[in-house]
Amino acid sequence: MTKIIDGKLISAAFKEKIAEAIISLKAEQNITPGLAVVLVGADPASDVYVRSKGVATKKAGMNSYEHRLPAETTEEELLALIENLNNDDAVDGILVQSPVPDQINYQAVVDVIDPNKDVDGFHPINAGNLLIGSQGFVACTPLGCSILLKHTLGDLTGLDAIIIGRSTIVGKPMAMLLLQQNCTVTIAHSRTKDLDKKCAQADIVVAAVGRPEMVKKDWIKQGATVIDVGINRMGSTETGKAKLVGDVAFEEVSEIAGAITPVPGGVGPMTIACLMYNTLKAACDRRDLDIPDVFDEFL
Ligand code: GUN
């Protein structure tokens, strides 16, 4: 029987621990962590993500600061806002939703975020710390995938993993996390030869390419664990809502995989839960407080 990896359920348990830790932080230290989320322009998908992040932040008991800027905002104006947020003591975490409009260089913006408030884990210092195995912030989506894999498989030592996609946000940090856990890691991308055959050898497949239902049943080894990072909005349904599909052809791959994440309800909720965790961690780290060890069972 194929196991459906329930990201909603696992993220709910993780978020409950986060909310408990925040209650203690308030009671014992009088600290309420704060997360600032910046959205430039009105990309509809980004709008949904930013809204969900705000809702989750408040639900966890933290302060949410939303900054919605017009699409014409200049890079200079955005950099000035980041500078203010860096210096604002009420703000523990800063996140600039990507993509940003063309006149803004996203990496130039990330580079000025205080690394101690970089809850996305995108700053070069945090990306570098992950590479060398030092302490820092880990990007939320790969961290969420890693939690799901630990929950499903336990120890990953010796397993063959393939990641389809080499982005800075998902593919590359995912590879580092899996290497740390003693997997043998392949990073595949649009120029990879015989992708289907390489996938079919893997015990773990992480699909993060942004192509609807690209990964088919005959790409998957019997019993493999499949993590689908894709969120592709397809034409609207009868209700007028966009249908979400992943990068994996869920129905057919479910017939062969040992375990698989659904879309929606798999990786997505974990990404938000990890953002809450990183914000709590930022609030603790900035004040030299230990983060409670109740999180060890997840991470
Ligand atoms: N756009 C898509 N995913 C992400 C993410 O994890 N963080 C930010 N800042 N933007 C995104």
Side-chain angles (χ1 to χ4, degrees):
M1 257 289 278
T2 303
K3 177 184 161 76
I4 307 297
I5 304 171
D6 189 340
K8 266 190 171 170
L9 200 72
I10 300 165
S11 67
F14 191 39
K15 283 192 288 190
E16 203 177 297
K17 298 274 186 239
I18 295 167
E20 284 169 16
I22 288 165
I23 290 171
S24 306
L25 205 55
K26 272 186 200 173
E28 292 160 19
Q29 309 281 344
N30 198 24
I31 293 166
T32 303
L35 172 64
V37 176
V38 182
L39 174 64
V40 187
D43 175 67
S46 293
D47 181 68
V48 173
Y49 294 138
V50 165
R51 212 180 292 262
S52 322
K53 288 170 185 178
V55 169
T57 304
K58 287 178 212 150
K59 226 170 157 180
M62 301 191 279
N63 291 324
S64 165
Y65 308 104
E66 240 176 65
H67 295 265
R68 289 171 177 266
L69 307 181
E72 316 76 67
T73 303
T74 64
E75 189 173 304
E76 240 183 349
E77 288 167 332
L78 183 52
L79 294 180
L81 171 61
I82 302 297
E83 204 54 52
N84 285 339
L85 297 173
N86 281 344
N87 294 324
D88 185 341
D89 206 41
V91 172
D92 294 290
I94 303 170
L95 175 155
V96 179
Q97 187 67 26
S98 79
V100 290
D102 289 346
Q103 74 274 15
I104 295 170
N105 174 344
Y106 186 67
Q107 193 58 49
V109 175
V110 168
D111 288 354
V112 301
I113 295 175
D114 178 344
N116 297 311
K117 295 189 177 187
D118 168 39
V119 285
D120 255 334
F122 295 167
H123 189 284
I125 287 192
N126 286 312
N129 278 333
L130 178 63
L131 184 81
I132 63 175
S134 285
Q135 223 275 125
F137 291 105
V138 177
C140 302
T141 299
L143 182 59
C145 294
S146 176
I147 292 173
L148 292 179
L149 283 167
K150 178 173 177 183
H151 188 270
T152 307
L153 295 169
D155 186 2
L156 307 184
T157 296
L159 296 179
D160 290 324
I162 188 164
I163 301 155
I164 315 174
R166 55 176 157 181
S167 70
T168 313
I169 293 184
V170 183
K172 288 179 195 168
M174 188 76 241
M176 292 308 121
L177 287 173
L178 291 172
L179 262 182
Q180 266 177 16
Q181 290 166 82
N182 306 312
C183 289
T184 303
V185 181
T186 302
I187 307 179
H189 47 77
S190 54
R191 307 282 180 88
T192 297
K193 283 184 288 163
D194 300 325
L195 177 56
D196 53 343
K197 293 186 185 67
K198 289 189 169 85
C199 265
Q201 292 176 355
D203 304 303
I204 296 170
V205 177
V206 180
V209 259
R211 292 224 201 137
E213 302 184 322
M214 184 174 102
V215 177
K216 308 291 188 206
K217 182 178 176 181
D218 61 356
W219 294 31
I220 301 297
K221 180 164 88 173
Q222 177 86 47
T225 300
V226 179
I227 305 290
D228 190 350
V229 179
I231 303 177
N232 306 288
R233 274 157 226 279
M234 309 304 279
S236 48
T237 60
E238 310 84 69
T239 56
K241 271 188 149 181
K243 180 178 188 292
L244 295 184
V245 303
D247 292 348
V248 176
F250 181 83
E251 293 300 332
E252 59 178 88
V253 170
S254 299
E255 292 169 12
I256 191 160
I260 183 169
T261 59
V263 175
V267 173
M270 291 306 299
T271 297
I272 299 217
C274 289
L275 177 64
M276 301 302 106
Y277 172 76
N278 277 352
T279 306
L280 167 65
K281 173 174 153 56
C284 293
D285 288 356
R286 286 178 63 224
R287 297 167 177 93
D288 255 338
L289 299 169
D290 287 332
I291 192 146
D293 54 15
V294 292
F295 297 106
D296 294 350
E297 67 168 293
F298 292 95
L299 299 169

